Amino acid sequence: MGTLVATRAPLGRQLRSELRWIVRRPRTVIGLSALCLVPLLAGIGLWFALDGDGPAGPGLAAIISGNGLVLPVFTLFLALPLLLPLVGAIWAADGLAGESQHGTLRGLLLSPVGRLRLLAIKAFGVATMTLFAVALIAVVGAVVGAILFGGQGMLTLSGNTLPFVDALGRIALTVALVTFQVWGVSAIALAISACTEHPLVVMAATMAGVIVSGVLGLFSALDWLHPYLITSGWDDLVDVMRDPLPTDQLWHSTALAGCYVLIGLSLAAMRLATKDT
């Protein structure tokens, strides 16, 4: 009698395969290329705005002159309300609904890979690509900002100037905070993706939820609801540009996004556990 050979592929190989599958899709290449244009266009627009009198704009744009390391932070906050959630929703939609639409999810559900393991692999792919997309915007923004506006330090909204190394730390912190917010949206998108075979439904439902959440946050009569809206803490992320760094609102917004991650993945796991092959 021959020895039994395990048929389950190593986890590392499965994770690498998932990442290769995402990266090789044309829409991924196009999407990442488009994301690179965001800091470039924002930087050029602010550079032309500085030709006039006064600041280039309100908020972070007002301190951009001679302060190029602010550009990656400004660009990430600019992309957070719509662009980055859309990118995360696209990858989440392709992860489960796209597989189901093309008939490949059935084979994955029948394979020796457990359903929770399959969800973890899909979530890993979405999370990794989201982190890469946010970091890509930050890197391009830092380079463009340094070229157009200089990058010796970072002037904060508190009026203090951070040295170069500390400025890079603030940019890295912004990348982490923004990524975690997008993970919250992507987890909900994965839950929706597990319930349908149509990726467009996932993207539309996810973006509708983000937009509705932002609109509800504008009504003072719904103050009781605001702490539970996923977009409620996004404006508070600008605290990363203050010195000393206030952490209360940053922790609150991160914890809220973490709750959405747990809720989204839990709903996706329950749906996959009962999904017919």
Side-chain angles (χ1 to χ4, degrees):
M1 181 182 295
T3 58
L4 295 176
V5 179
T7 58
R8 175 178 293 184
L11 180 60
R13 183 187 303 173
Q14 292 175 331
L15 296 178
R16 291 193 298 270
S17 176
E18 179 68 16
L19 290 178
R20 285 196 299 268
W21 180 76
I22 296 176
V23 171
R24 289 177 179 175
R25 286 179 300 185
R27 73 173 66 187
T28 299
V29 178
I30 295 173
L32 292 176
S33 300
L35 289 178
C36 292
L37 294 177
V38 176
L40 179 61
L41 295 177
I44 294 175
L46 291 172
W47 186 78
F48 278 110
L50 288 173
D51 288 342
D53 296 331
L60 294 179
I63 60 174
I64 195 69
S65 179
N67 198 22
L69 292 180
V70 171
L71 183 62
V73 179
F74 172 79
T75 307
L76 286 175
F77 291 158
L78 186 68
L80 178 58
L82 287 177
L83 185 58
L84 287 173
L86 176 60
V87 170
I90 290 174
W91 286 324
D94 286 337
L96 292 176
E99 294 266 21
S100 181
Q101 185 181 55
H102 292 92
T104 54
L105 184 62
R106 177 183 176 86
L108 292 174
L109 294 176
L110 292 173
S111 67
V113 179
R115 298 191 177 198
L116 292 181
R117 184 183 177 107
L118 174 63
L119 176 62
I121 293 171
K122 295 298 182 180
F124 171 81
V126 174
T128 302
M129 292 305 299
T130 299
L131 174 60
F132 180 76
V134 175
L136 181 64
I137 293 178
V139 170
V140 175
V143 173
V144 173
I147 293 174
L148 295 179
F149 307 106
Q152 299 302 318
M154 176 185 285
L155 177 64
T156 67
L157 293 174
S158 303
N160 302 329
T161 300
L162 299 176
F164 181 76
V165 175
D166 291 343
L168 293 182
R170 292 298 178 94
I171 295 174
L173 178 60
T174 306
V175 168
L177 293 172
V178 171
T179 300
F180 211 77
Q181 298 299 320
V182 182
W183 281 353
V185 176
S186 300
I188 298 300
L190 269 176
I192 301 173
S193 185
C195 299
T196 181
E197 298 180 355
H198 305 285
L200 288 179
V201 172
V202 179
M203 290 181 278
T206 303
M207 295 312 300
V210 171
I211 294 172
V212 169
S213 177
V215 172
L216 293 178
L218 299 177
F219 295 98
S220 58
L222 298 176
D223 287 344
W224 59 273
L225 182 63
H226 293 175
Y228 307 102
L229 299 175
I230 191 170
T231 59
S232 63
W234 290 2
D235 291 338
D236 296 327
L237 296 181
V238 76
D239 284 347
V240 78
M241 286 297 299
R242 305 187 191 281
D243 186 48
L245 181 67
T247 58
D248 290 345
Q249 294 301 321
L250 297 180
W251 278 114
H252 177 268
S253 60
T254 302
L256 180 62
C259 291
Y260 273 94
V261 170
L262 291 177
I263 293 172
L265 293 182
S266 298
L267 292 175
M270 288 189 293
R271 174 54 184 159
L272 279 184
T274 59
K275 192 177 183 66
D276 295 333
T277 57

